[in-house]
Coordinates of all heavy atoms in Angstrom, one line a residue:
M1121 N 26.0 46.0 -71.1 CA 24.7 46.6 -71.6 C 24.9 48.1 -71.6 O 25.4 48.7 -70.7 CB 23.6 46.2 -70.5 CG 22.3 46.8 -70.8 SD 21.1 46.0 -69.7 CE 20.1 47.5 -69.4
N1122 N 24.5 48.7 -72.8 CA 24.6 50.2 -73.0 C 23.5 50.9 -72.3 O 22.4 50.5 -72.2 CB 24.6 50.5 -74.4 CG 25.7 49.9 -75.2 OD1 26.8 49.7 -74.7 ND2 25.7 49.8 -76.5
Q1123 N 23.8 52.0 -71.7 CA 22.8 52.8 -71.0 C 22.3 53.8 -72.1 O 23.0 54.2 -73.0 CB 23.4 53.6 -69.9 CG 23.8 52.7 -68.7 CD 24.3 53.6 -67.5 OE1 24.6 54.7 -67.6 NE2 24.3 52.9 -66.4
A1124 N 21.1 54.3 -71.9 CA 20.5 55.3 -72.8 C 21.2 56.6 -72.6 O 21.8 56.9 -71.5 CB 19.0 55.4 -72.5
H1125 N 21.2 57.4 -73.7 CA 21.8 58.7 -73.6 C 21.1 59.5 -72.5 O 19.9 59.4 -72.3 CB 21.7 59.4 -74.9 CG 22.5 60.7 -75.1 ND1 22.1 61.8 -74.5 CD2 23.7 60.8 -75.6 CE1 23.0 62.7 -74.8 NE2 24.0 62.1 -75.4
P1126 N 21.9 60.3 -71.7 CA 21.2 61.0 -70.6 C 20.1 62.0 -71.0 O 19.3 62.4 -70.2 CB 22.4 61.8 -69.9 CG 23.5 61.6 -70.8 CD 23.3 60.5 -71.8
L1127 N 20.1 62.5 -72.2 CA 19.0 63.4 -72.7 C 17.8 62.7 -73.0 O 16.7 63.3 -73.0 CB 19.5 64.2 -73.9 CG 20.6 65.2 -73.7 CD1 21.1 65.8 -75.0 CD2 20.2 66.3 -72.7
R1128 N 17.8 61.4 -73.2 CA 16.6 60.7 -73.7 C 15.4 60.8 -72.7 O 14.4 61.0 -73.1 CB 17.0 59.2 -74.0 CG 15.9 58.5 -74.7 CD 16.3 57.1 -75.1 NE 17.5 57.1 -76.0 CZ 17.4 57.2 -77.3 NH1 16.2 57.4 -78.0 NH2 18.5 57.3 -78.1
P1129 N 15.7 60.6 -71.4 CA 14.5 60.7 -70.4 C 13.8 62.1 -70.4 O 12.6 62.3 -70.4 CB 15.0 60.4 -69.1 CG 16.4 59.6 -69.4 CD 16.8 60.2 -70.7
R1130 N 14.7 63.1 -70.5 CA 14.1 64.5 -70.5 C 13.4 64.8 -71.7 O 12.3 65.4 -71.7 CB 15.3 65.5 -70.4 CG 15.9 65.4 -69.0 CD 17.0 66.3 -68.7 NE 16.5 67.7 -68.7 CZ 17.2 68.8 -68.7 NH1 18.5 68.7 -68.7 NH2 16.7 70.0 -68.6
L1131 N 13.9 64.3 -73.0 CA 13.2 64.5 -74.2 C 11.9 63.7 -74.2 O 10.8 64.1 -74.7 CB 14.1 64.1 -75.4 CG 15.2 65.1 -75.7 CD1 16.2 64.4 -76.7 CD2 14.7 66.4 -76.2
S1132 N 11.9 62.5 -73.6 CA 10.7 61.7 -73.4 C 9.6 62.4 -72.7 O 8.4 62.4 -73.0 CB 11.0 60.3 -72.9 OG 11.8 59.6 -73.8
D1133 N 10.1 63.0 -71.5 CA 9.2 63.7 -70.7 C 8.5 64.9 -71.5 O 7.3 65.2 -71.4 CB 9.8 64.3 -69.4 CG 10.2 63.2 -68.4 OD1 9.7 62.1 -68.5 OD2 11.0 63.5 -67.6
L1134 N 9.3 65.6 -72.3 CA 8.9 66.7 -73.0 C 7.8 66.2 -74.1 O 6.8 66.8 -74.2 CB 10.0 67.4 -73.7 CG 9.6 68.5 -74.8 CD1 8.8 69.6 -74.1 CD2 10.9 69.2 -75.3
L1135 N 8.1 65.1 -74.7 CA 7.2 64.5 -75.7 C 5.9 64.1 -75.1 O 4.8 64.4 -75.6 CB 8.0 63.3 -76.4 CG 7.1 62.6 -77.5 CD1 6.7 63.7 -78.6 CD2 7.8 61.4 -78.0
H1136 N 6.0 63.6 -73.8 CA 4.8 63.1 -73.2 C 3.9 64.5 -72.9 O 2.7 64.4 -73.0 CB 5.1 62.4 -71.8 CG 3.9 62.1 -71.1 ND1 3.0 61.2 -71.5 CD2 3.5 62.5 -69.9 CE1 2.0 61.1 -70.6 NE2 2.3 61.9 -69.6
G1137 N 4.5 65.5 -72.4 CA 3.8 66.7 -72.2 C 3.2 67.3 -73.5 O 2.0 67.8 -73.4
I1138 N 3.9 67.2 -74.6 CA 3.4 67.7 -75.8 C 2.2 66.8 -76.3 O 1.1 67.4 -76.6 CB 4.5 67.7 -76.8 CG1 5.5 68.8 -76.7 CG2 3.8 67.8 -78.3 CD1 6.7 68.7 -77.4
E1139 N 2.3 65.5 -76.1 CA 1.3 64.6 -76.6 C 0.0 64.8 -75.6 O -1.2 64.5 -76.2 CB 1.7 63.1 -76.5 CG 2.7 62.8 -77.5 CD 3.3 61.4 -77.4 OE1 3.3 60.9 -76.3 OE2 3.9 61.0 -78.5
S1140 N 0.2 65.2 -74.4 CA -1.0 65.5 -73.5 C -1.5 66.9 -73.7 O -2.4 67.3 -73.0 CB -0.7 65.2 -72.1 OG 0.3 66.0 -71.6
Q1141 N -0.8 67.7 -74.6 CA -1.1 69.1 -74.9 C -1.1 69.9 -73.6 O -2.0 70.8 -73.4 CB -2.4 69.2 -75.7 CG -2.3 68.5 -77.0 CD -3.5 68.8 -77.9 OE1 -4.5 69.5 -77.5 NE2 -3.4 68.2 -79.1
D1142 N -0.1 69.7 -72.7 CA -0.1 70.5 -71.5 C 1.0 71.6 -71.8 O 2.1 71.4 -71.6 CB 0.5 69.6 -70.4 CG 0.6 70.2 -69.1 OD1 0.4 71.5 -69.0 OD2 0.8 69.5 -68.0
E1143 N 0.4 72.8 -72.2 CA 1.2 73.9 -72.7 C 2.2 74.4 -71.6 O 3.4 74.5 -71.8 CB 0.3 75.0 -73.2 CG 1.1 76.0 -74.0 CD 1.6 77.1 -73.0 OE1 1.0 77.4 -72.1 OE2 2.6 77.7 -73.4
P1144 N 1.7 74.6 -70.4 CA 2.7 75.1 -69.3 C 3.8 74.2 -69.1 O 5.1 74.6 -69.0 CB 1.8 75.4 -68.1 CG 0.4 75.5 -68.6 CD 0.3 74.6 -69.9
Q1145 N 3.5 72.9 -68.9 CA 4.5 71.9 -68.5 C 5.4 71.8 -69.7 O 6.7 71.8 -69.6 CB 3.9 70.6 -68.2 CG 4.9 69.5 -68.0 CD 4.4 68.1 -67.9 OE1 3.3 67.9 -68.2 NE2 5.2 67.2 -67.4
S1146 N 5.0 71.7 -70.9 CA 5.8 71.5 -72.1 C 6.7 72.6 -72.4 O 7.9 72.5 -72.7 CB 4.9 71.3 -73.3 OG 4.1 70.1 -73.2
T1147 N 6.2 73.9 -72.2 CA 7.0 75.0 -72.4 C 8.1 75.1 -71.4 O 9.3 75.4 -71.7 CB 6.1 76.3 -72.3 OG1 5.2 76.2 -73.4 CG2 7.0 77.6 -72.5
A1148 N 7.8 74.8 -70.0 CA 8.8 74.9 -69.1 C 9.9 73.8 -69.2 O 11.1 74.1 -69.0 CB 8.1 74.6 -67.7
L1149 N 9.5 72.6 -69.6 CA 10.4 71.5 -69.9 C 11.4 71.9 -71.1 O 12.5 71.7 -71.0 CB 9.8 70.2 -70.2 CG 9.1 69.5 -69.0 CD1 8.2 68.4 -69.5 CD2 10.1 69.0 -68.0
A1150 N 10.8 72.5 -72.2 CA 11.6 72.8 -73.3 C 12.6 73.9 -72.9 O 13.7 73.9 -73.4 CB 10.7 73.3 -74.5
Q1151 N 12.1 75.0 -72.2 CA 13.0 76.0 -71.9 C 14.1 75.6 -70.9 O 15.3 76.1 -71.1 CB 12.2 77.2 -71.2 CG 11.3 77.9 -72.2 CD 10.3 78.9 -71.5 OE1 10.2 78.9 -70.3 NE2 9.8 79.8 -72.3
A1152 N 13.8 74.7 -70.0 CA 14.9 74.2 -69.1 C 15.9 73.4 -69.9 O 17.1 73.5 -69.7 CB 14.3 73.4 -68.0
L1153 N 15.4 72.6 -70.8 CA 16.3 71.7 -71.6 C 17.2 72.6 -72.5 O 18.4 72.4 -72.7 CB 15.5 70.8 -72.5 CG 16.2 69.7 -73.2 CD1 17.1 68.8 -72.3 CD2 15.2 68.7 -73.8
I1154 N 16.6 73.6 -73.1 CA 17.3 74.5 -74.0 C 18.4 75.2 -73.2 O 19.6 75.4 -73.6 CB 16.4 75.5 -74.7 CG1 15.5 74.8 -75.7 CG2 17.2 76.7 -75.4 CD1 14.4 75.7 -76.3
Q1155 N 18.1 75.7 -72.0 CA 19.0 76.4 -71.2 C 20.2 75.5 -70.8 O 21.3 75.9 -70.9 CB 18.3 76.9 -69.9 CG 19.3 77.7 -69.0 CD 18.6 78.2 -67.8 OE1 17.5 78.0 -67.6 NE2 19.4 79.0 -67.0
D1156 N 19.9 74.3 -70.4 CA 21.0 73.3 -70.1 C 21.9 73.0 -71.4 O 23.1 72.9 -71.2 CB 20.4 72.0 -69.6 CG 19.9 72.1 -68.2 OD1 20.1 73.2 -67.6 OD2 19.2 71.2 -67.7
L1157 N 21.2 72.9 -72.5 CA 22.0 72.6 -73.7 C 22.9 73.7 -74.2 O 23.9 73.6 -74.8 CB 21.1 72.2 -74.8 CG 20.4 70.8 -74.7 CD1 19.3 70.6 -75.7 CD2 21.4 69.6 -74.8
D1158 N 22.4 75.0 -73.9 CA 23.1 76.2 -74.3 C 24.3 76.5 -73.4 O 25.2 77.4 -73.8 CB 22.2 77.4 -74.3 CG 21.4 77.4 -75.6 OD1 21.7 76.7 -76.6 OD2 20.3 78.2 -75.7
E1159 N 24.4 76.0 -72.2 CA 25.5 76.3 -71.3 C 26.8 75.8 -71.9 O 26.8 74.7 -72.5 CB 25.3 75.6 -70.0 CG 24.2 76.2 -69.2 CD 23.9 75.6 -67.8 OE1 24.6 74.6 -67.6 OE2 23.1 76.1 -67.0
S1160 N 27.9 76.5 -71.7 CA 29.2 76.1 -72.2 C 29.7 75.0 -71.3 O 29.6 75.0 -70.1 CB 30.2 77.3 -72.1 OG 29.8 78.3 -73.0
K1161 N 30.2 74.0 -71.8 CA 30.8 72.8 -71.2 C 32.2 72.6 -71.6 O 32.4 72.2 -72.7 CB 29.9 71.6 -71.4 CG 28.5 71.7 -70.8 CD 27.7 70.5 -71.2 CE 26.4 70.4 -70.6 NZ 25.4 71.6 -70.9
P1162 N 33.1 72.7 -70.7 CA 34.5 72.5 -71.1 C 34.7 71.0 -71.4 O 34.0 70.1 -70.7 CB 35.4 72.9 -69.9 CG 34.4 72.9 -68.7 CD 33.0 73.1 -69.3
V1163 N 35.5 70.6 -72.3 CA 35.8 69.2 -72.7 C 37.0 68.8 -71.9 O 38.0 69.5 -71.8 CB 36.1 69.2 -74.2 CG1 36.6 67.7 -74.5 CG2 34.9 69.6 -75.0
A1164 N 36.9 67.6 -71.2 CA 37.9 67.1 -70.4 C 39.2 66.9 -71.2 O 39.2 66.5 -72.4 CB 37.5 65.8 -69.8
G1165 N 40.4 67.2 -70.6 CA 41.6 67.0 -71.2 C 42.1 68.2 -72.1 O 43.2 68.3 -72.5
I1166 N 41.2 69.2 -72.3 CA 41.6 70.4 -73.0 C 41.6 71.5 -72.1 O 40.5 71.9 -71.5 CB 40.6 70.6 -74.2 CG1 40.6 69.4 -75.2 CG2 41.0 71.9 -75.0 CD1 39.6 69.5 -76.2
P1167 N 42.7 72.2 -71.9 CA 42.8 73.3 -70.9 C 42.0 74.5 -71.4 O 41.9 74.8 -72.7 CB 44.2 73.6 -70.8 CG 44.9 73.1 -72.1 CD 44.0 71.9 -72.5
E1168 N 41.4 75.2 -70.5 CA 40.7 76.5 -70.9 C 41.7 77.5 -71.1 O 42.7 77.6 -70.4 CB 39.7 76.8 -69.8 CG 38.5 75.9 -69.6 CD 37.5 76.4 -68.7 OE1 37.3 77.7 -68.6 OE2 36.8 75.7 -68.0
T1169 N 41.4 78.4 -72.2 CA 42.3 79.5 -72.4 C 41.5 80.7 -72.1 O 40.5 81.0 -72.7 CB 42.7 79.5 -73.9 OG1 41.6 79.5 -74.7 CG2 43.7 78.3 -74.2
G1170 N 41.9 81.4 -71.1 CA 41.2 82.7 -70.7 C 39.8 82.3 -70.3 O 39.5 81.4 -69.5
N1171 N 38.9 83.1 -70.8 CA 37.5 82.9 -70.4 C 36.7 82.2 -71.6 O 35.5 82.5 -71.7 CB 36.9 84.3 -70.1 CG 37.4 84.8 -68.8 OD1 37.8 84.0 -67.9 ND2 37.4 86.1 -68.7
S1172 N 37.3 81.5 -72.4 CA 36.7 80.9 -73.5 C 36.6 79.4 -73.4 O 37.5 78.7 -73.9 CB 37.4 81.3 -74.9 OG 37.4 82.6 -75.0
P1173 N 35.6 78.9 -72.8 CA 35.6 77.4 -72.6 C 35.2 76.8 -74.0 O 34.7 77.5 -74.9 CB 34.5 77.2 -71.6 CG 33.7 78.3 -71.7 CD 34.5 79.5 -72.0
V1174 N 35.5 75.5 -74.1 CA 35.2 74.8 -75.3 C 33.7 74.6 -75.4 O 33.1 74.3 -74.4 CB 35.9 73.4 -75.4 CG1 35.5 72.6 -76.6 CG2 37.4 73.6 -75.3
R1175 N 33.1 75.0 -76.5 CA 31.6 74.9 -76.6 C 31.2 73.4 -76.7 O 32.0 72.5 -76.9 CB 31.1 75.5 -77.9 CG 31.3 77.0 -77.9 CD 30.5 77.7 -76.8 NE 29.2 77.6 -77.2 CZ 28.1 77.9 -76.4 NH1 28.3 78.3 -75.2 NH2 26.9 77.8 -76.9
F1176 N 29.9 73.1 -76.5 CA 29.3 71.9 -76.4 C 29.3 71.2 -77.9 O 29.7 71.9 -78.8 CB 27.8 71.9 -76.0 CG 27.0 72.8 -76.7 CD1 26.4 72.4 -77.9 CD2 26.7 74.1 -76.2 CE1 25.6 73.3 -78.6 CE2 25.9 75.0 -76.9 CZ 25.4 74.6 -78.1
S1177 N 29.0 70.0 -77.9 CA 29.2 69.1 -79.1 C 28.1 69.5 -80.2 O 27.1 70.1 -79.9 CB 29.1 67.6 -78.8 OG 27.8 67.4 -78.5
A1178 N 28.4 69.1 -81.4 CA 27.5 69.3 -82.4 C 26.1 68.5 -82.2 O 25.1 68.9 -82.6 CB 28.0 68.8 -83.8
L1179 N 26.3 67.4 -81.5 CA 25.0 66.6 -81.1 C 24.1 67.5 -80.3 O 22.9 67.5 -80.6 CB 25.4 65.3 -80.4 CG 24.3 64.5 -79.8 CD1 23.4 64.0 -81.0 CD2 24.7 63.4 -79.0
Y1180 N 24.6 68.1 -79.3 CA 23.9 69.0 -78.4 C 23.3 70.1 -79.1 O 22.2 70.6 -78.9 CB 24.7 69.4 -77.1 CG 24.8 68.3 -76.1 CD1 24.8 67.0 -76.4 CD2 24.9 68.7 -74.8 CE1 24.9 66.0 -75.4 CE2 25.0 67.8 -73.8 CZ 25.0 66.4 -74.1 OH 25.1 65.5 -73.1
H1181 N 24.1 70.6 -80.1 CA 23.6 71.8 -80.9 C 22.4 71.3 -81.7 O 21.4 72.0 -81.8 CB 24.8 72.3 -81.8 CG 24.3 73.4 -82.7 ND1 24.1 74.7 -82.2 CD2 24.1 73.4 -84.0 CE1 23.7 75.4 -83.3 NE2 23.7 74.7 -84.4
A1182 N 22.4 70.2 -82.3 CA 21.3 69.7 -83.1 C 20.1 69.4 -82.3 O 19.0 69.7 -82.6 CB 21.8 68.4 -83.8
V1183 N 20.3 68.9 -81.1 CA 19.2 68.6 -80.2 C 18.6 69.9 -79.7 O 17.4 70.0 -79.8 CB 19.6 67.8 -79.0 CG1 18.5 67.6 -77.9 CG2 20.0 66.3 -79.4
A1184 N 19.4 70.9 -79.4 CA 18.8 72.2 -79.0 C 18.1 72.8 -80.2 O 17.0 73.4 -79.8 CB 20.0 73.1 -78.6
R1185 N 18.6 72.7 -81.3 CA 17.9 73.3 -82.5 C 16.4 72.7 -82.6 O 15.5 73.4 -82.8 CB 18.6 73.1 -83.8 CG 18.0 73.7 -85.1 CD 18.8 73.4 -86.3 NE 18.8 71.9 -86.5 CZ 20.0 71.2 -86.7 NH1 21.2 71.8 -86.6 NH2 19.9 69.9 -86.8
E1186 N 16.3 71.4 -82.5 CA 15.0 70.7 -82.6 C 14.1 71.1 -81.4 O 12.9 71.3 -81.6 CB 15.2 69.2 -82.6 CG 15.9 68.7 -83.9 CD 15.2 69.1 -85.2 OE1 13.9 69.2 -85.2 OE2 15.8 69.3 -86.2
V1187 N 14.7 71.2 -80.2 CA 13.9 71.5 -79.1 C 13.4 72.9 -79.2 O 12.2 73.3 -78.9 CB 14.6 71.3 -77.7 CG1 13.8 71.8 -76.6 CG2 15.0 69.9 -77.5
R1188 N 14.2 73.9 -79.7 CA 13.8 75.2 -80.0 C 12.6 75.3 -81.0 O 11.6 76.0 -80.9 CB 14.9 76.1 -80.5 CG 15.8 76.6 -79.5 CD 16.8 77.6 -80.1 NE 17.8 77.9 -79.1 CZ 18.9 77.3 -79.0 NH1 19.2 76.3 -79.9 NH2 19.8 77.6 -78.1
S1189 N 12.7 74.5 -82.0 CA 11.7 74.3 -83.0 C 10.4 73.8 -82.3 O 9.3 74.4 -82.6 CB 12.1 73.4 -84.1 OG 11.1 73.3 -85.1
G1190 N 10.5 72.8 -81.5 CA 9.3 72.3 -80.8 C 8.7 73.4 -79.9 O 7.5 73.5 -79.8
E1191 N 9.6 74.2 -79.2 CA 9.1 75.2 -78.4 C 8.3 76.3 -79.2 O 7.2 76.7 -78.7 CB 10.2 75.9 -77.6 CG 9.7 76.9 -76.6 CD 10.9 77.8 -76.1 OE1 11.9 77.9 -76.7 OE2 10.7 78.2 -74.9
R1192 N 8.8 76.7 -80.3 CA 8.0 77.6 -81.2 C 6.7 77.0 -81.6 O 5.7 77.7 -81.6 CB 8.9 78.0 -82.4 CG 10.0 78.9 -82.0 CD 10.7 79.5 -83.3 NE 11.2 78.5 -84.1 CZ 12.5 78.0 -84.1 NH1 13.3 78.4 -83.1 NH2 12.9 77.0 -84.9
A1193 N 6.7 75.7 -82.0 CA 5.5 75.0 -82.3 C 4.5 75.0 -81.2 O 3.3 75.2 -81.3 CB 5.7 73.7 -82.8
I1194 N 4.9 74.8 -79.9 CA 4.1 74.8 -78.8 C 3.3 76.1 -78.7 O 2.2 76.2 -78.4 CB 4.8 74.4 -77.5 CG1 5.3 72.9 -77.5 CG2 4.0 74.6 -76.3 CD1 6.3 72.6 -76.5
A1195 N 4.2 77.2 -78.8 CA 3.7 78.5 -78.6 C 2.6 78.8 -79.7 O 1.7 79.6 -79.4 CB 4.8 79.5 -78.7
A1196 N 2.8 78.3 -80.8 CA 1.8 78.5 -81.9 C 0.6 77.6 -81.9 O -0.3 77.7 -82.7 CB 2.6 78.4 -83.3
G1197 N 0.7 76.6 -80.9 CA -0.5 75.6 -80.8 C -0.3 74.5 -81.8 O -1.4 73.8 -82.0
N1198 N 0.8 74.4 -82.5 CA 1.0 73.3 -83.4 C 1.6 72.1 -82.7 O 2.8 71.8 -82.7 CB 2.0 73.8 -84.5 CG 2.2 72.7 -85.5 OD1 1.8 71.7 -85.5 ND2 3.1 73.2 -86.6
W1199 N 0.7 71.3 -82.1 CA 1.1 70.2 -81.2 C 1.8 69.1 -82.1 O 2.8 68.5 -81.6 CB 0.0 69.6 -80.4 CG -0.5 70.6 -79.5 CD1 -1.7 71.4 -79.6 CD2 0.1 71.0 -78.2 NE1 -1.8 72.2 -78.5 CE2 -0.6 72.0 -77.6 CE3 1.3 70.6 -77.6 CZ2 -0.3 72.6 -76.4 CZ3 1.6 71.2 -76.4 CH2 0.8 72.2 -75.8
M1200 N 1.3 68.9 -83.3 CA 1.9 67.9 -84.2 C 3.3 68.2 -84.6 O 4.2 67.4 -84.6 CB 1.0 67.6 -85.4 CG -0.3 66.9 -85.0 SD -1.4 66.6 -86.5 CE -0.3 65.7 -87.6
G1201 N 3.5 69.5 -84.9 CA 4.8 70.0 -85.3 C 5.8 69.9 -84.1 O 7.0 69.5 -84.3
A1202 N 5.3 70.2 -82.9 CA 6.1 70.1 -81.7 C 6.5 68.7 -81.4 O 7.7 68.4 -81.2 CB 5.4 70.7 -80.5
A1203 N 5.6 67.7 -81.5 CA 5.9 66.4 -81.3 C 7.0 65.9 -82.3 O 7.9 65.1 -82.0 CB 4.6 65.5 -81.4
K1204 N 6.7 66.3 -83.6 CA 7.7 65.9 -84.7 C 9.1 66.3 -84.4 O 10.0 65.6 -84.5 CB 7.2 66.4 -86.0 CG 8.1 66.0 -87.1 CD 7.6 66.5 -88.4 CE 8.6 66.2 -89.5 NZ 8.3 66.8 -90.9
S1205 N 9.2 67.6 -83.9 CA 10.6 68.1 -83.6 C 11.2 67.3 -82.5 O 12.4 67.0 -82.6 CB 10.4 69.6 -83.2 OG 10.1 70.4 -84.3
V1206 N 10.5 67.0 -81.4 CA 11.0 66.3 -80.3 C 11.4 64.9 -80.7 O 12.4 64.3 -80.3 CB 10.1 66.3 -79.1 CG1 10.7 65.5 -78.0 CG2 10.0 67.8 -78.6
R1207 N 10.6 64.3 -81.6 CA 10.9 62.9 -82.1 C 12.2 62.9 -82.9 O 13.0 62.0 -82.7 CB 9.7 62.4 -82.8 CG 8.5 61.9 -82.0 CD 7.5 61.2 -82.8 NE 6.4 60.9 -82.0 CZ 5.2 61.6 -82.1 NH1 5.0 62.5 -83.0 NH2 4.2 61.3 -81.3
V1208 N 12.4 64.0 -83.6 CA 13.6 64.1 -84.4 C 14.8 64.2 -83.5 O 15.8 63.5 -83.7 CB 13.6 65.3 -85.4 CG1 15.0 65.6 -86.0 CG2 12.6 65.0 -86.5
A1209 N 14.7 65.0 -82.4 CA 15.7 65.2 -81.4 C 16.1 63.8 -80.7 O 17.2 63.5 -80.6 CB 15.3 66.2 -80.4
I1210 N 15.0 63.0 -80.4 CA 15.2 61.7 -79.8 C 16.0 60.8 -80.8 O 16.9 60.1 -80.5 CB 13.9 61.1 -79.4 CG1 13.4 61.9 -78.2 CG2 14.1 59.7 -78.9 CD1 12.0 61.6 -77.7
S1211 N 15.6 60.9 -82.1 CA 16.1 60.0 -83.1 C 17.6 60.2 -83.4 O 18.3 59.3 -83.8 CB 15.3 60.1 -84.4 OG 15.6 61.2 -85.1
I1212 N 18.1 61.4 -83.2 CA 19.5 61.7 -83.5 C 20.4 61.3 -82.3 O 21.7 61.3 -82.5 CB 19.7 63.1 -83.9 CG1 19.4 64.1 -82.8 CG2 19.1 63.4 -85.2 CD1 19.6 65.5 -83.2
L1213 N 19.9 61.0 -81.1 CA 20.7 60.6 -80.1 C 21.2 59.2 -80.3 O 20.6 58.4 -80.8 CB 19.9 60.6 -78.7 CG 19.4 61.9 -78.1 CD1 18.5 61.6 -76.9 CD2 20.5 62.8 -77.9
P1214 N 22.5 59.0 -79.9 CA 23.0 57.6 -80.0 C 22.3 56.6 -79.2 O 21.8 57.0 -78.1 CB 24.5 57.8 -79.6 CG 24.6 59.1 -78.9 CD 23.4 59.9 -79.3
E1215 N 22.3 55.4 -79.6 CA 21.5 54.3 -78.9 C 22.4 54.0 -77.6 O 23.5 54.0 -77.4 CB 21.3 53.1 -79.7 CG 20.3 53.4 -80.8 CD 19.0 53.6 -80.2 OE1 18.6 52.9 -79.2 OE2 18.2 54.4 -80.7

């Protein structure tokens, strides 16, 4: 049995906050998620050279882009746009 992608629950929580139009909670969740996605993560099996760790995957980059878009929509009061961005982020995650 396959487990859900580890980002799925956090994105679902963000979507729930957006759907309930809870601006403080939604903004906090989006910012925390963006911060986690932006952190450098070394890839196992590839040695670090100097202070330049291997950056995160293109999947995380795409998810971060959609969450940022959602965060901007939240700030503008565009709840439908924010929900759409988070749904897109969820849809690109592998099953």
Side-chain angles (χ1 to χ4, degrees):
M1121 183 170 142
N1122 292 339
Q1123 290 184 345
H1125 193 279
L1127 290 176
R1128 193 173 299 275
R1130 293 181 69 189
L1131 289 167
S1132 295
D1133 289 345
L1134 176 56
L1135 183 59
H1136 178 64
I1138 290 169
E1139 288 172 342
S1140 63
Q1141 296 187 2
D1142 185 348
E1143 192 272 333
Q1145 177 192 13
S1146 299
T1147 299
L1149 289 170
Q1151 289 173 345
L1153 189 53
I1154 290 167
Q1155 183 178 2
D1156 288 349
L1157 290 169
D1158 281 346
E1159 290 178 358
S1160 298
K1161 295 177 174 57
V1163 175
I1166 300 176
E1168 290 188 31
T1169 55
N1171 291 330
S1172 302
V1174 176
R1175 294 293 294 168
F1176 55 82
S1177 73
L1179 173 66
Y1180 280 31
H1181 178 73
V1183 170
R1185 182 183 62 236
E1186 293 301 330
V1187 173
R1188 277 190 193 90
S1189 177
E1191 182 188 27
R1192 287 190 301 272
I1194 292 166
N1198 180 0
W1199 296 104
M1200 289 178 56
K1204 180 180 178 184
S1205 292
V1206 174
R1207 284 188 187 106
V1208 167
I1210 291 170
S1211 73
I1212 62 177
L1213 294 175
E1215 290 294 323

